[in-house]
């Protein structure tokens, strides 16, 4: 029981040290952290509602843009509005899709590294 409590206090102090807004945003950016588990953990810490809400909104923005972009391209392709005969449109779409995937991967990687660093600091 004592080790669980000390681990929990370390997590809570790491969140307080890094700032709840930053930690919530990074948790939302991390694809490895399930939302339900994240919600439970954050609900048991001293994260205030404002930081939780703003961190969630900011952390979900990159993925919202990706989903919107992919949906838009898919809709154009399905409705025949996307012409693959136009090399400029095809190039812009391909570059945009590759950049979106690369950026999503990079942001997720940065978020995971930052969260690991916060956990290691909490253990010290």
């Amino acid at each position: 029981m004592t080790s669980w409590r000390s681990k929990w206090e370390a997590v809570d102090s790491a969140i307080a040290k890094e700032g709840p807004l930053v930690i919530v945003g990074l948790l939302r950016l991390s694809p490895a952290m399930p939302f339900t588990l994240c919600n439970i953990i954050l609900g048991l810490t001293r994260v205030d509602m404002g930081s939780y809400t703003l961190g969630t909104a900011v952390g979900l923005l990159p993925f919202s843009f990706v989903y919107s972009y992919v949906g838009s391209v898919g809709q154009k392709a399905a409705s025949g509005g996307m012409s693959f005969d136009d090399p400029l449109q095809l190039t812009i779409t391909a570059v945009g899709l590759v950049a979106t995937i690369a950026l999503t991967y990079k942001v997720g990687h940065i978020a995971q590294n930052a969260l690991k660093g916060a956990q290691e600091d909490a253990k010290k």
Side-chain angles (χ1 to χ4, degrees):
M1 182 71 160
T2 306
S3 67
W4 180 86
R5 182 171 287 165
S6 64
K7 287 179 185 178
W8 190 255
E9 288 172 356
V11 169
D12 201 26
S13 66
I15 290 172
K17 178 185 171 201
E18 293 295 324
L21 180 63
V22 172
I23 296 295
V24 172
L26 290 174
L27 284 170
R28 294 304 187 205
L29 284 171
S30 174
M33 186 66 166
F35 268 41
T36 304
L37 181 60
C38 180
N39 292 339
I40 291 168
I41 291 170
L42 292 172
L44 295 172
T45 62
R46 291 179 278 184
V47 174
D48 61 293
M49 185 60 87
S51 297
Y52 176 82
T53 304
L54 187 58
T56 297
V58 170
L60 292 179
L61 277 177
F63 296 113
S64 297
F65 287 129
V66 171
Y67 296 143
S68 297
Y69 177 74
V70 170
S72 173
V73 169
Q75 181 185 18
K76 284 182 183 177
S79 68
M82 179 176 245
S83 171
F84 291 109
D85 297 332
D86 183 9
L88 178 62
Q89 184 176 8
L90 184 60
T91 302
I92 289 172
T93 301
V95 169
L97 187 59
V98 168
T100 301
I101 291 169
L103 182 62
T104 303
Y105 172 78
K106 183 67 175 173
V107 167
H109 187 70
I110 289 169
Q112 285 180 325
N113 286 341
L115 289 172
K116 284 180 187 177
Q119 286 177 337
E120 289 171 4
D121 288 346
K123 288 180 182 178
K124 294 179 182 178

